[in-house]
Amino acid sequence: MKKTYGITGIVLTVCLFIGTFWDLYINKALFMKDNFFSLFFYRLTPIVYSTVMMIGVALIFHTLSFKKKSKIIYFFSGLLYLFFTVFSIFLAYSHAKTGGAIYGISAALVIACLVKKIPVELADRYRWAGFAIFLTALCSMTIVESIKPIWGRVRFRSMQGNLSLFTKWYQINGNKYLNMVPVKEEIKSFPSGHSQWAGTTLSLSLLAFVHPKWQEKEKTVFFVTLFYAVVVMISRLMQGAHFLSDVTVGFSSAFLFFLLFREIIVNRNLKKNK
């Protein structure tokens, strides 16, 4: 997998380089306002992200043994599980309304039932995977959402007829262009939140990695989730919501945290236990 991760990193670096010089030209070529493809993934991506988050916290909580762990650990794990499950359901609702809420509640119940069926001898391994999945989702989202208001980059769709609003990805604008766009969300182009959400699905490859009999499937899961993330990033370009550099950095935030937590949480603990 190291070779696969290395190639992915090189491609991301090349994409950022291309975006640095040709962001505007790429969006001019791909922009298709309010097309069905982009709108579909606009609503689907947060629902998938909420599912990833629920999988992570469910693995942390439901693989605990009440007999072996202290009540304090069990209590705080329960709070973590409850809070982020509710947060995930709300996220799905905010993008898909009633249908999203119904899906979120149903998904939480199904995930809980499936996690409870994990064999006892594999519980610890899956708990480490749960921590890595959850922290990848949480940390990457925190970083991206913290950067957006600081950078204040105008979305391509809001600069139609006034391309002077375009800035390079490395320029920090703050609220400089706030009065020139219809709503504040339109100065939050960099980095792409949807691309970060899509990138967190890479962590689902850990579900195969921690199972002794499924480890050869890890690369397959990684490439399937990578393909999904690429499709989401393209949809954001077509919608004019982001530039190539935006989606590259957004996805990279999730990718880097995934690699970090895969190594320091999952890989090291599996080696230690072995």
Side-chain angles (χ1 to χ4, degrees), residues 52-62 80-81 84-85 130 134:
V52 173
M53 181 72 81
M54 285 191 285
I55 290 173
V57 293
L59 286 171
I60 294 172
F61 178 70
H62 287 299
L80 179 77
Y81 172 61
F84 282 101
T85 297
F134 168 68

Side-chain angles (χ1 to χ4, degrees), residues 47 50 88-89 91-105:
I47 293 175
S50 68
S88 299
I89 293 172
L91 181 63
Y93 167 76
S94 65
H95 283 79
K97 302 307 177 185
T98 304
I102 293 174
Y103 167 81
I105 295 171

Side-chain angles (χ1 to χ4, degrees), residues 97-147:
K97 302 307 177 185
T98 304
I102 293 174
Y103 167 81
I105 295 171
S106 302
L109 294 173
V110 171
I111 290 169
C113 291
L114 292 175
V115 171
K116 288 180 180 180
K117 293 182 179 181
I118 293 175
V120 176
E121 62 273 16
L122 296 178
D124 286 339
R125 300 170 71 93
Y126 274 101
R127 189 179 311 117
W128 292 123
F131 274 113
I133 292 170
F134 168 68
L135 289 174
T136 296
L138 179 65
C139 292
S140 58
M141 182 180 69
T142 301
I143 291 295
V144 167
E145 294 303 320
S146 298
I147 292 176

Side-chain angles (χ1 to χ4, degrees), residues 147-184:
I147 292 176
K148 279 177 173 288
I150 297 173
W151 247 251
R153 192 183 196 189
V154 180
R155 300 181 190 273
F156 179 77
R157 64 192 178 198
S158 288
M159 58 179 66
Q160 302 308 300
N162 189 11
L163 295 180
S164 63
L165 296 176
F166 173 76
T167 56
K168 298 288 188 180
W169 68 267
Y170 49 78
Q171 293 179 251
I172 301 176
N173 305 300
N175 291 327
K176 180 179 179 180
Y177 298 110
L178 182 59
N179 294 330
M180 300 181 184
V181 295
V183 293
K184 191 173 183 178

